[in-house]
Structure formats: C-alpha cells, structure tokens
Amino acid sequence: MPETRETAVYTHGHHESVLRSHTWRTAANSAAYLLGSLEPDMRVLDIGCGPGTITADLAALVPDGRVTGADRAPGVLEQARATAEGRGLANVDFEVADVHALDHPDGTFDVVHAHQVLQHVGDPVGALREMARVTRPGGLVAVRDADYAAMTWYPAVPGLDEWLDLYRRVARANGGEPDAGRRLRSWALAAGLSDITATSGTWTYATPEERAWWSGLWADRTLASAYADRAVQGGHATPEELRAVSGAWREWGRREDGWFAVLHGEILCRKPA
C-alpha cells in the first residue's frame, strides 16, 4: 500500500454554505459524461463523495452492482450515509480515504470517479495513478474538475474580479490547483494513462432563483467558511476586504441581467485490458 502523499489543505471546508452547493450536485448535472458508460452490475468507487448526492445517484444507476463513497472528512460521511438511507439504497457504503493511498487491492473497481477532487490535492498525478491502480483492466477512471480562470460572468460587477484573484491565491497557498479543469488530460498522461477521452461541461446560473442561490452561497462562504478563515490567516485578505467581496456577490445576484458560467474539464480514461 502506498504511503499517504496528501499535502494540500481542502480550501472550502464543510461550512453550511459549502454543503449547500455540494448537496445540489447530481449525477445528471455533475457526471453526465460518465453515465453512458455505466452498466447495472458495475462496482464503482466515488472519491471525494462529500454529502453523497452523486454517490446515491450512481448507486441507483448500478442496481446490481455496488458503490463505495470515499472522503477524507469523517463528519460529512454521516450526511452521505443519511442521504443513501433516505433513498432506500442497499448497494452503497462509505469509507474514510485518501486518494493518494486507497485501501483497496489492485483492480477492485470497474469505475473510479472523482468530482471536484484533483483541484484540491497535493499530487494530482499521483492521485490518478492510485485511482488507476484500483481500477480493473478495461475499467474507467472518470474525473471532472472546475477551472476557475475560465469562469465567466456578466455584468462586470466591481469586486468579482477581486474574488476570483483571491480564491485562486488562497487555493494555491493551500497546495491545490484551482485551474484544474484544463490540466486533467495533461495530468492523466503524466500518470501513464493513454486511452483518454477529454470533454468539457458547464454549470450556468441565470434565472432569478439560480442567481440568488449561487450568489448567496458564495457571499456566505466568503465570510464564514474555512476558505474565509484561510484567506485572513494566510494574509491574503482582511476581514474588510472579504466583506467587500461578499457584497459584490450580493450585488451581482440582484442584477436582472446576471449570468454566470462554470467551465469544467472532464476525462474518461480506459485502463488497458
């Protein structure tokens, strides 16, 4: 078993404003690129499962198989278990795990999936190697990550450019790479994977309800999450500057012409049979 190589700090933490976003995620809106490859009897590992909404969807899609949700934070796994239990799913289990050192034998899973994970880890190439190790020959490694520098919005509300610059500085100081989406194929090649299908996908927030939700969770996250604490403690921003950024999010959310798009990189890597 490889030694743990995790060196990054998870930028967001698990404040309510963070979980508000994570529990919105479904297999349909966050893993559509993978769904056509699933078969009913597959065994799936969902790394960085968080509150388990995607995990539960995957379990429902492999009714004759099994899904294991894995996360480094034991606390959030309690919410994930409750999500699965609430949906009556009997083919799902959860475990504490580090993607750099997975506690499974070689070739255990048909699919190893990670959504919004590699941007937060200290060694994404090593993580992909470890994901491939526990994937069976002929199986799939599936990864999707946002790319912060490619996020775009309208109108140009003063303060949102400062938010993006601040977030990227904090994430990199924590050991991560916020512009991960564009790097996934490169990381996969460096990890020794060769049969790679690279695509992209987006989230778009434009209706009044979507704008209120997206702007509200970022306004709150900027003031009250682990990200906010790390921004101040790391000397990246003052509390006053965070309040200004939070206010910019609120202002954008009130704009009738507001529009925000999040670009994601996606890769499906077939392990040689």
Side-chain angles (χ1 to χ4, degrees):
M1 181 60 57
E3 294 182 1
T4 299
R5 299 184 64 186
E6 178 60 274
T7 57
V9 175
Y10 180 46
T11 296
H12 297 290
H14 294 91
H15 184 264
E16 182 277 330
S17 61
V18 177
L19 295 179
R20 199 185 315 164
S21 171
H22 292 184
T23 54
W24 167 83
R25 298 172 183 173
T26 65
N29 68 30
S30 299
Y33 73 105
L34 166 64
L35 303 189
S37 301
L38 296 179
E39 297 177 6
D41 61 348
M42 280 182 162
R43 187 168 183 192
V44 179
L45 176 62
D46 185 24
I47 294 172
C49 68
T53 51
I54 297 175
T55 317
D57 283 351
L58 294 175
L61 292 167
V62 293
D64 302 320
R66 188 158 193 87
V67 176
T68 297
D71 203 283
R72 294 194 73 210
V76 79
L77 291 179
E78 293 306 311
Q79 185 171 345
R81 292 186 181 97
T83 298
E85 291 171 4
R87 293 180 54 175
L89 295 165
N91 65 331
V92 60
D93 57 85
F94 295 93
E95 65 183 22
V96 177
D98 174 3
V99 67
H100 297 88
L102 298 168
D103 191 18
H104 294 283
D106 295 0
T108 299
F109 299 95
D110 298 295
V111 176
V112 180
H113 167 260
H115 183 263
Q116 313 292 18
V117 172
L118 294 191
Q119 63 184 279
H120 297 297
V121 305
D123 181 8
V125 173
L128 281 164
R129 288 196 190 103
E130 182 67 350
M131 292 171 69
R133 180 187 68 78
V134 300
T135 302
R136 68 163 176 81
L140 286 171
V141 174
V143 177
R144 186 176 195 253
D145 267 275
D147 193 296
Y148 275 76
M151 292 183 187
T152 189
W153 59 86
Y154 186 85
V157 171
L160 287 192
D161 284 336
E162 286 75 9
W163 158 75
L164 182 58
D165 176 69
L166 172 64
Y167 179 83
R168 293 170 77 213
R169 284 189 284 113
V170 173
R172 288 189 172 125
N174 288 338
E177 176 45 71
D179 304 341
R182 69 189 66 192
R183 291 170 163 82
L184 295 183
R185 187 173 186 277
S186 175
W187 287 341
L189 289 169
L193 297 166
S194 57
D195 187 352
I196 305 166
T197 300
T199 56
S200 62
T202 59
W203 293 332
T204 304
Y205 307 105
T207 68
E209 295 78 15
E210 290 166 347
R211 291 196 311 273
W213 179 79
W214 184 243
S215 64
L217 69 87
W218 269 107
D220 292 344
R221 190 181 302 189
T222 299
L223 294 179
S225 68
Y227 155 66
D229 293 339
R230 288 163 184 149
V232 174
Q233 293 167 8
H236 305 289
T238 65
E240 292 75 19
E241 288 169 334
L242 291 184
R243 284 193 287 271
V245 169
S246 178
W249 272 111
R250 298 286 186 193
E251 180 182 349
W252 175 84
R254 290 191 293 267
R255 292 291 300 260
E256 292 184 359
D257 56 350
W259 177 91
F260 198 107
V262 179
L263 178 71
H264 299 82
E266 303 163 341
I267 53 170
L268 281 176
C269 309
R270 181 77 63 180
K271 186 173 178 178

